[in-house]
Amino acid sequence: MATERRERPDQRERRPYQKKKVCRFCKIRGFTVDYKDAKALRPYITERGRIVPRRISGTCAKHQRVVCTAIKRARNLAIIPFTATSI
Ligand SMILES: [Zn+2]
């Protein structure tokens, strides 16, 4: 039966209270990220230089695109690395 499948208490349903992530750009009006500003881009890239996904950072789709473009521009200008520099 279909109901039996739902009776697994393990996965999915067990999610304790989680703080709702709000897009920083939507929250603060006029807050933008500039591709020339490596410090501003910092929270949106991982240690290894990858772009932090939306589900982690909480950025909305519209602003994630803006961030993504900014990061890619900054990479091209060698402001931020493509990857972590390995030895
Ligand atoms: Zn937003």
Side-chain angles (χ1 to χ4, degrees), residues 8-34:
R8 271 189 309 177
D10 46 313
Q11 306 154 351
R12 263 169 209 276
E13 303 215 11
R14 280 184 52 196
R15 193 188 277 176
Y17 175 73
Q18 213 174 12
K19 204 164 82 176
K20 182 97 167 76
K21 274 176 271 182
V22 177
C23 172
R24 264 184 257 185
F25 299 91
C26 288
K27 201 179 171 190
I28 309 157
R29 281 190 84 72
F31 177 68
T32 47
V33 75
D34 187 24

PDB file of all heavy atoms in Angstrom, residues 8-34:
ATOM      1  N   ARG A   8       8.305   5.030   7.094  1.00  0.00           N
ATOM      2  CA  ARG A   8       9.718   4.999   7.485  1.00  0.00           C
ATOM      3  C   ARG A   8      10.087   6.302   8.167  1.00  0.00           C
ATOM      4  O   ARG A   8      10.039   7.359   7.536  1.00  0.00           O
ATOM      5  CB  ARG A   8      10.608   4.799   6.260  1.00  0.00           C
ATOM      6  CG  ARG A   8      10.838   3.347   5.964  1.00  0.00           C
ATOM      7  CD  ARG A   8      11.880   3.209   4.907  1.00  0.00           C
ATOM      8  NE  ARG A   8      11.557   4.063   3.748  1.00  0.00           N
ATOM      9  CZ  ARG A   8      12.337   4.169   2.692  1.00  0.00           C
ATOM     10  NH1 ARG A   8      13.459   3.509   2.639  1.00  0.00           N
ATOM     11  NH2 ARG A   8      12.010   4.944   1.681  1.00  0.00           N
ATOM     12  N   PRO A   9      10.413   6.237   9.400  1.00  0.00           N
ATOM     13  CA  PRO A   9      10.697   7.491  10.103  1.00  0.00           C
ATOM     14  C   PRO A   9      12.097   8.023   9.859  1.00  0.00           C
ATOM     15  O   PRO A   9      12.401   9.150  10.209  1.00  0.00           O
ATOM     16  CB  PRO A   9      10.503   7.125  11.572  1.00  0.00           C
ATOM     17  CG  PRO A   9      10.772   5.666  11.629  1.00  0.00           C
ATOM     18  CD  PRO A   9      10.625   5.091  10.246  1.00  0.00           C
ATOM     19  N   ASP A  10      12.940   7.194   9.278  1.00  0.00           N
ATOM     20  CA  ASP A  10      14.340   7.607   9.112  1.00  0.00           C
ATOM     21  C   ASP A  10      14.527   8.811   8.188  1.00  0.00           C
ATOM     22  O   ASP A  10      14.447   9.943   8.629  1.00  0.00           O
ATOM     23  CB  ASP A  10      15.219   6.428   8.715  1.00  0.00           C
ATOM     24  CG  ASP A  10      14.601   5.583   7.616  1.00  0.00           C
ATOM     25  OD1 ASP A  10      13.413   5.247   7.732  1.00  0.00           O
ATOM     26  OD2 ASP A  10      15.292   5.267   6.654  1.00  0.00           O
ATOM     27  N   GLN A  11      14.766   8.585   6.947  1.00  0.00           N
ATOM     28  CA  GLN A  11      15.133   9.688   6.056  1.00  0.00           C
ATOM     29  C   GLN A  11      14.046  10.746   5.892  1.00  0.00           C
ATOM     30  O   GLN A  11      12.905  10.554   6.223  1.00  0.00           O
ATOM     31  CB  GLN A  11      15.484   9.133   4.680  1.00  0.00           C
ATOM     32  CG  GLN A  11      16.538   8.077   4.742  1.00  0.00           C
ATOM     33  CD  GLN A  11      16.455   7.122   3.592  1.00  0.00           C
ATOM     34  OE1 GLN A  11      15.501   7.158   2.830  1.00  0.00           O
ATOM     35  NE2 GLN A  11      17.424   6.262   3.478  1.00  0.00           N
ATOM     36  N   ARG A  12      14.426  11.786   5.293  1.00  0.00           N
ATOM     37  CA  ARG A  12      13.549  12.870   4.875  1.00  0.00           C
ATOM     38  C   ARG A  12      12.780  13.597   5.983  1.00  0.00           C
ATOM     39  O   ARG A  12      12.976  14.777   6.190  1.00  0.00           O
ATOM     40  CB  ARG A  12      12.534  12.376   3.850  1.00  0.00           C
ATOM     41  CG  ARG A  12      13.009  12.692   2.463  1.00  0.00           C
ATOM     42  CD  ARG A  12      12.145  11.982   1.455  1.00  0.00           C
ATOM     43  NE  ARG A  12      12.921  11.697   0.247  1.00  0.00           N
ATOM     44  CZ  ARG A  12      13.099  12.567  -0.728  1.00  0.00           C
ATOM     45  NH1 ARG A  12      12.581  13.758  -0.653  1.00  0.00           N
ATOM     46  NH2 ARG A  12      13.795  12.246  -1.786  1.00  0.00           N
ATOM     47  N   GLU A  13      11.929  12.888   6.654  1.00  0.00           N
ATOM     48  CA  GLU A  13      11.041  13.554   7.593  1.00  0.00           C
ATOM     49  C   GLU A  13      11.757  14.133   8.794  1.00  0.00           C
ATOM     50  O   GLU A  13      11.284  15.082   9.385  1.00  0.00           O
ATOM     51  CB  GLU A  13       9.968  12.563   8.059  1.00  0.00           C
ATOM     52  CG  GLU A  13       9.223  12.029   6.854  1.00  0.00           C
ATOM     53  CD  GLU A  13       7.772  11.782   7.116  1.00  0.00           C
ATOM     54  OE1 GLU A  13       7.271  12.206   8.170  1.00  0.00           O
ATOM     55  OE2 GLU A  13       7.137  11.152   6.272  1.00  0.00           O
ATOM     56  N   ARG A  14      12.864  13.524   9.142  1.00  0.00           N
ATOM     57  CA  ARG A  14      13.561  14.003  10.327  1.00  0.00           C
ATOM     58  C   ARG A  14      14.435  15.199  10.008  1.00  0.00           C
ATOM     59  O   ARG A  14      15.578  15.065   9.641  1.00  0.00           O
ATOM     60  CB  ARG A  14      14.401  12.880  10.927  1.00  0.00           C
ATOM     61  CG  ARG A  14      13.546  11.939  11.742  1.00  0.00           C
ATOM     62  CD  ARG A  14      14.394  10.893  12.396  1.00  0.00           C
ATOM     63  NE  ARG A  14      15.502  11.476  13.153  1.00  0.00           N
ATOM     64  CZ  ARG A  14      16.565  10.799  13.570  1.00  0.00           C
ATOM     65  NH1 ARG A  14      16.663   9.532  13.303  1.00  0.00           N
ATOM     66  NH2 ARG A  14      17.522  11.381  14.255  1.00  0.00           N
ATOM     67  N   ARG A  15      13.875  16.322  10.130  1.00  0.00           N
ATOM     68  CA  ARG A  15      14.676  17.529   9.970  1.00  0.00           C
ATOM     69  C   ARG A  15      14.347  18.480  11.106  1.00  0.00           C
ATOM     70  O   ARG A  15      13.251  19.041  11.133  1.00  0.00           O
ATOM     71  CB  ARG A  15      14.382  18.181   8.630  1.00  0.00           C
ATOM     72  CG  ARG A  15      15.441  19.232   8.321  1.00  0.00           C
ATOM     73  CD  ARG A  15      15.070  20.022   7.116  1.00  0.00           C
ATOM     74  NE  ARG A  15      15.443  19.337   5.883  1.00  0.00           N
ATOM     75  CZ  ARG A  15      15.139  19.823   4.687  1.00  0.00           C
ATOM     76  NH1 ARG A  15      14.465  20.919   4.552  1.00  0.00           N
ATOM     77  NH2 ARG A  15      15.521  19.184   3.612  1.00  0.00           N
ATOM     78  N   PRO A  16      15.268  18.604  12.051  1.00  0.00           N
ATOM     79  CA  PRO A  16      15.003  19.523  13.148  1.00  0.00           C
ATOM     80  C   PRO A  16      14.939  20.966  12.660  1.00  0.00           C
ATOM     81  O   PRO A  16      15.222  21.243  11.502  1.00  0.00           O
ATOM     82  CB  PRO A  16      16.189  19.310  14.077  1.00  0.00           C
ATOM     83  CG  PRO A  16      17.260  18.756  13.228  1.00  0.00           C
ATOM     84  CD  PRO A  16      16.579  17.981  12.159  1.00  0.00           C
ATOM     85  N   TYR A  17      14.584  21.807  13.539  1.00  0.00           N
ATOM     86  CA  TYR A  17      14.438  23.215  13.181  1.00  0.00           C
ATOM     87  C   TYR A  17      15.684  23.751  12.499  1.00  0.00           C
ATOM     88  O   TYR A  17      16.788  23.574  12.979  1.00  0.00           O
ATOM     89  CB  TYR A  17      14.147  24.026  14.439  1.00  0.00           C
ATOM     90  CG  TYR A  17      14.093  25.508  14.169  1.00  0.00           C
ATOM     91  CD1 TYR A  17      13.008  26.073  13.486  1.00  0.00           C
ATOM     92  CD2 TYR A  17      15.128  26.344  14.564  1.00  0.00           C
ATOM     93  CE1 TYR A  17      12.965  27.408  13.228  1.00  0.00           C
ATOM     94  CE2 TYR A  17      15.096  27.691  14.301  1.00  0.00           C
ATOM     95  CZ  TYR A  17      14.008  28.217  13.619  1.00  0.00           C
ATOM     96  OH  TYR A  17      13.982  29.550  13.359  1.00  0.00           O
ATOM     97  N   GLN A  18      15.462  24.374  11.400  1.00  0.00           N
ATOM     98  CA  GLN A  18      16.577  24.912  10.633  1.00  0.00           C
ATOM     99  C   GLN A  18      16.332  26.387  10.394  1.00  0.00           C
ATOM    100  O   GLN A  18      15.226  26.779  10.057  1.00  0.00           O
ATOM    101  CB  GLN A  18      16.634  24.178   9.296  1.00  0.00           C
ATOM    102  CG  GLN A  18      18.034  24.039   8.803  1.00  0.00           C
ATOM    103  CD  GLN A  18      18.080  23.179   7.559  1.00  0.00           C
ATOM    104  OE1 GLN A  18      17.061  22.871   6.960  1.00  0.00           O
ATOM    105  NE2 GLN A  18      19.264  22.813   7.154  1.00  0.00           N
ATOM    106  N   LYS A  19      17.369  27.147  10.576  1.00  0.00           N
ATOM    107  CA  LYS A  19      17.217  28.575  10.366  1.00  0.00           C
ATOM    108  C   LYS A  19      16.997  28.848   8.885  1.00  0.00           C
ATOM    109  O   LYS A  19      17.717  28.337   8.049  1.00  0.00           O
ATOM    110  CB  LYS A  19      18.467  29.311  10.856  1.00  0.00           C
ATOM    111  CG  LYS A  19      18.156  30.754  11.215  1.00  0.00           C
ATOM    112  CD  LYS A  19      19.251  31.355  12.052  1.00  0.00           C
ATOM    113  CE  LYS A  19      20.368  31.827  11.157  1.00  0.00           C
ATOM    114  NZ  LYS A  19      21.428  32.520  11.897  1.00  0.00           N
ATOM    115  N   LYS A  20      15.986  29.620   8.606  1.00  0.00           N
ATOM    116  CA  LYS A  20      15.664  29.931   7.215  1.00  0.00           C
ATOM    117  C   LYS A  20      16.718  30.877   6.660  1.00  0.00           C
ATOM    118  O   LYS A  20      16.976  31.940   7.199  1.00  0.00           O
ATOM    119  CB  LYS A  20      14.292  30.578   7.161  1.00  0.00           C
ATOM    120  CG  LYS A  20      13.825  30.917   5.761  1.00  0.00           C
ATOM    121  CD  LYS A  20      12.913  29.828   5.223  1.00  0.00           C
ATOM    122  CE  LYS A  20      12.187  30.295   3.980  1.00  0.00           C
ATOM    123  NZ  LYS A  20      13.004  30.331   2.780  1.00  0.00           N
ATOM    124  N   LYS A  21      17.289  30.441   5.556  1.00  0.00           N
ATOM    125  CA  LYS A  21      18.317  31.277   4.947  1.00  0.00           C
ATOM    126  C   LYS A  21      17.657  32.303   4.033  1.00  0.00           C
ATOM    127  O   LYS A  21      16.772  31.973   3.254  1.00  0.00           O
ATOM    128  CB  LYS A  21      19.275  30.402   4.136  1.00  0.00           C
ATOM    129  CG  LYS A  21      20.370  29.833   5.005  1.00  0.00           C
ATOM    130  CD  LYS A  21      21.236  28.906   4.210  1.00  0.00           C
ATOM    131  CE  LYS A  21      20.673  27.506   4.268  1.00  0.00           C
ATOM    132  NZ  LYS A  21      21.467  26.529   3.559  1.00  0.00           N
ATOM    133  N   VAL A  22      18.099  33.506   4.166  1.00  0.00           N
ATOM    134  CA  VAL A  22      17.520  34.567   3.349  1.00  0.00           C
ATOM    135  C   VAL A  22      18.603  35.113   2.430  1.00  0.00           C
ATOM    136  O   VAL A  22      19.752  35.270   2.836  1.00  0.00           O
ATOM    137  CB  VAL A  22      16.945  35.689   4.250  1.00  0.00           C
ATOM    138  CG1 VAL A  22      16.414  36.837   3.412  1.00  0.00           C
ATOM    139  CG2 VAL A  22      15.852  35.143   5.143  1.00  0.00           C
ATOM    140  N   CYS A  23      18.193  35.378   1.228  1.00  0.00           N
ATOM    141  CA  CYS A  23      19.127  35.945   0.264  1.00  0.00           C
ATOM    142  C   CYS A  23      19.619  37.299   0.763  1.00  0.00           C
ATOM    143  O   CYS A  23      18.827  38.187   1.038  1.00  0.00           O
ATOM    144  CB  CYS A  23      18.425  36.087  -1.082  1.00  0.00           C
ATOM    145  SG  CYS A  23      19.397  36.969  -2.290  1.00  0.00           S
ATOM    146  N   ARG A  24      20.915  37.418   0.859  1.00  0.00           N
ATOM    147  CA  ARG A  24      21.499  38.654   1.394  1.00  0.00           C
ATOM    148  C   ARG A  24      21.230  39.856   0.504  1.00  0.00           C
ATOM    149  O   ARG A  24      21.125  40.977   0.972  1.00  0.00           O
ATOM    150  CB  ARG A  24      23.007  38.477   1.519  1.00  0.00           C
ATOM    151  CG  ARG A  24      23.417  38.066   2.914  1.00  0.00           C
ATOM    152  CD  ARG A  24      24.908  38.016   2.996  1.00  0.00           C
ATOM    153  NE  ARG A  24      25.342  36.625   2.957  1.00  0.00           N
ATOM    154  CZ  ARG A  24      26.601  36.248   3.102  1.00  0.00           C
ATOM    155  NH1 ARG A  24      27.545  37.143   3.268  1.00  0.00           N
ATOM    156  NH2 ARG A  24      26.929  34.988   3.073  1.00  0.00           N
ATOM    157  N   PHE A  25      21.154  39.590  -0.775  1.00  0.00           N
ATOM    158  CA  PHE A  25      20.976  40.694  -1.720  1.00  0.00           C
ATOM    159  C   PHE A  25      19.545  41.209  -1.697  1.00  0.00           C
ATOM    160  O   PHE A  25      19.294  42.379  -1.926  1.00  0.00           O
ATOM    161  CB  PHE A  25      21.338  40.230  -3.133  1.00  0.00           C
ATOM    162  CG  PHE A  25      22.763  39.780  -3.242  1.00  0.00           C
ATOM    163  CD1 PHE A  25      23.093  38.443  -3.033  1.00  0.00           C
ATOM    164  CD2 PHE A  25      23.768  40.679  -3.505  1.00  0.00           C
ATOM    165  CE1 PHE A  25      24.401  38.019  -3.118  1.00  0.00           C
ATOM    166  CE2 PHE A  25      25.080  40.261  -3.586  1.00  0.00           C
ATOM    167  CZ  PHE A  25      25.395  38.928  -3.383  1.00  0.00           C
ATOM    168  N   CYS A  26      18.607  40.299  -1.417  1.00  0.00           N
ATOM    169  CA  CYS A  26      17.212  40.706  -1.340  1.00  0.00           C
ATOM    170  C   CYS A  26      16.949  41.422  -0.022  1.00  0.00           C
ATOM    171  O   CYS A  26      16.182  42.364   0.043  1.00  0.00           O
ATOM    172  CB  CYS A  26      16.303  39.483  -1.445  1.00  0.00           C
ATOM    173  SG  CYS A  26      16.242  38.784  -3.083  1.00  0.00           S
ATOM    174  N   LYS A  27      17.608  40.934   0.999  1.00  0.00           N
ATOM    175  CA  LYS A  27      17.376  41.467   2.335  1.00  0.00           C
ATOM    176  C   LYS A  27      17.867  42.908   2.427  1.00  0.00           C
ATOM    177  O   LYS A  27      17.143  43.787   2.897  1.00  0.00           O
ATOM    178  CB  LYS A  27      18.126  40.597   3.345  1.00  0.00           C
ATOM    179  CG  LYS A  27      17.577  40.716   4.750  1.00  0.00           C
ATOM    180  CD  LYS A  27      18.355  39.799   5.672  1.00  0.00           C
ATOM    181  CE  LYS A  27      18.005  40.043   7.106  1.00  0.00           C
ATOM    182  NZ  LYS A  27      18.930  39.321   8.003  1.00  0.00           N
ATOM    183  N   ILE A  28      19.089  43.113   2.006  1.00  0.00           N
ATOM    184  CA  ILE A  28      19.645  44.453   2.071  1.00  0.00           C
ATOM    185  C   ILE A  28      19.523  45.088   0.686  1.00  0.00           C
ATOM    186  O   ILE A  28      20.179  44.657  -0.261  1.00  0.00           O
ATOM    187  CB  ILE A  28      21.128  44.418   2.519  1.00  0.00           C
ATOM    188  CG1 ILE A  28      21.274  43.592   3.802  1.00  0.00           C
ATOM    189  CG2 ILE A  28      21.655  45.835   2.718  1.00  0.00           C
ATOM    190  CD1 ILE A  28      22.673  43.039   4.013  1.00  0.00           C
ATOM    191  N   ARG A  29      18.699  46.067   0.603  1.00  0.00           N
ATOM    192  CA  ARG A  29      18.497  46.728  -0.693  1.00  0.00           C
ATOM    193  C   ARG A  29      19.738  47.528  -1.076  1.00  0.00           C
ATOM    194  O   ARG A  29      20.329  48.204  -0.242  1.00  0.00           O
ATOM    195  CB  ARG A  29      17.278  47.627  -0.627  1.00  0.00           C
ATOM    196  CG  ARG A  29      15.994  46.841  -0.757  1.00  0.00           C
ATOM    197  CD  ARG A  29      14.812  47.749  -0.926  1.00  0.00           C
ATOM    198  NE  ARG A  29      14.604  48.154  -2.309  1.00  0.00           N
ATOM    199  CZ  ARG A  29      14.157  47.344  -3.271  1.00  0.00           C
ATOM    200  NH1 ARG A  29      13.915  46.089  -3.027  1.00  0.00           N
ATOM    201  NH2 ARG A  29      13.951  47.798  -4.477  1.00  0.00           N
ATOM    202  N   GLY A  30      20.100  47.394  -2.318  1.00  0.00           N
ATOM    203  CA  GLY A  30      21.256  48.133  -2.793  1.00  0.00           C
ATOM    204  C   GLY A  30      22.566  47.418  -2.546  1.00  0.00           C
ATOM    205  O   GLY A  30      23.618  47.895  -2.932  1.00  0.00           O
ATOM    206  N   PHE A  31      22.487  46.263  -1.928  1.00  0.00           N
ATOM    207  CA  PHE A  31      23.698  45.477  -1.671  1.00  0.00           C
ATOM    208  C   PHE A  31      24.010  44.650  -2.910  1.00  0.00           C
ATOM    209  O   PHE A  31      23.235  43.806  -3.329  1.00  0.00           O
ATOM    210  CB  PHE A  31      23.467  44.569  -0.454  1.00  0.00           C
ATOM    211  CG  PHE A  31      24.618  43.658  -0.140  1.00  0.00           C
ATOM    212  CD1 PHE A  31      25.816  44.161   0.318  1.00  0.00           C
ATOM    213  CD2 PHE A  31      24.489  42.274  -0.289  1.00  0.00           C
ATOM    214  CE1 PHE A  31      26.871  43.313   0.623  1.00  0.00           C
ATOM    215  CE2 PHE A  31      25.540  41.418   0.017  1.00  0.00           C
ATOM    216  CZ  PHE A  31      26.722  41.943   0.469  1.00  0.00           C
ATOM    217  N   THR A  32      25.116  44.949  -3.510  1.00  0.00           N
ATOM    218  CA  THR A  32      25.507  44.212  -4.709  1.00  0.00           C
ATOM    219  C   THR A  32      26.927  43.694  -4.536  1.00  0.00           C
ATOM    220  O   THR A  32      27.658  44.143  -3.663  1.00  0.00           O
ATOM    221  CB  THR A  32      25.457  45.096  -5.968  1.00  0.00           C
ATOM    222  OG1 THR A  32      26.099  46.332  -5.688  1.00  0.00           O
ATOM    223  CG2 THR A  32      24.049  45.323  -6.434  1.00  0.00           C
ATOM    224  N   VAL A  33      27.261  42.761  -5.375  1.00  0.00           N
ATOM    225  CA  VAL A  33      28.602  42.224  -5.343  1.00  0.00           C
ATOM    226  C   VAL A  33      29.327  42.653  -6.615  1.00  0.00           C
ATOM    227  O   VAL A  33      28.770  42.640  -7.703  1.00  0.00           O
ATOM    228  CB  VAL A  33      28.579  40.693  -5.112  1.00  0.00           C
ATOM    229  CG1 VAL A  33      28.158  39.930  -6.344  1.00  0.00           C
ATOM    230  CG2 VAL A  33      29.895  40.207  -4.572  1.00  0.00           C
ATOM    231  N   ASP A  34      30.542  43.092  -6.417  1.00  0.00           N
ATOM    232  CA  ASP A  34      31.314  43.618  -7.531  1.00  0.00           C
ATOM    233  C   ASP A  34      32.419  42.633  -7.885  1.00  0.00           C
ATOM    234  O   ASP A  34      33.073  42.089  -7.003  1.00  0.00           O
ATOM    235  CB  ASP A  34      31.906  44.976  -7.103  1.00  0.00           C
ATOM    236  CG  ASP A  34      32.582  45.686  -8.263  1.00  0.00           C
ATOM    237  OD1 ASP A  34      32.220  45.392  -9.417  1.00  0.00           O
ATOM    238  OD2 ASP A  34      33.467  46.519  -8.006  1.00  0.00           O
TER     239      ASP A  34
END
